[in-house]
Amino acid sequence: MAITLVNPSGLPEIDVYRQVSIATGSKLVFIAGQVAWDAEGTTVGEGDLAAQVEQCYLNIGTALAAAGGSFDDVAKLTVYVVDWTPGKMPPLLEGISRAAAKLGSAPVPPATLLGVAALDVPDHLVEIEATAVIG
């Protein structure tokens, strides 16, 4: 496996991601920020953060498969959420959980969550980009 995820001693253990990913593969994959579009470009889950997070993760899974990988190969995620507040954490985690069930894996690579004022269109509540390393 090209990615090893760890929580080093001296850093807090976070349930939803690991603090460090160690990459040993040979192919880098950079996935553009994915929003809650289906294959036809229609927004999924208007006004529903959990549904949009789920669709973003599923889109990343599709992109990874096209590159010959899976979420097991993701070294880093960056998550952008419109008007972020800590109260949005439950639907964010719900969306990740639903996507993980569909993808058959727990996507827990290191992640950065950023609150933003807006995304590309008003209907999009979240955008997620990924970097993967495939052996």
Side-chain angles (χ1 to χ4, degrees), residues 37-90:
W37 279 331
D38 64 13
E40 288 76 41
T42 302
T43 298
V44 173
E46 281 189 45
D48 183 341
L49 181 60
Q52 290 201 13
V53 168
E54 178 182 3
Q55 185 65 43
C56 291
Y57 272 81
L58 295 176
N59 290 349
I60 291 168
T62 298
L64 289 165
S70 72
F71 259 96
D72 292 336
D73 301 305
V74 174
K76 172 82 168 61
L77 293 171
T78 304
V79 180
Y80 304 90
V81 181
V82 174
D83 297 326
W84 174 257
T85 64
K88 292 184 178 183
M89 186 61 81

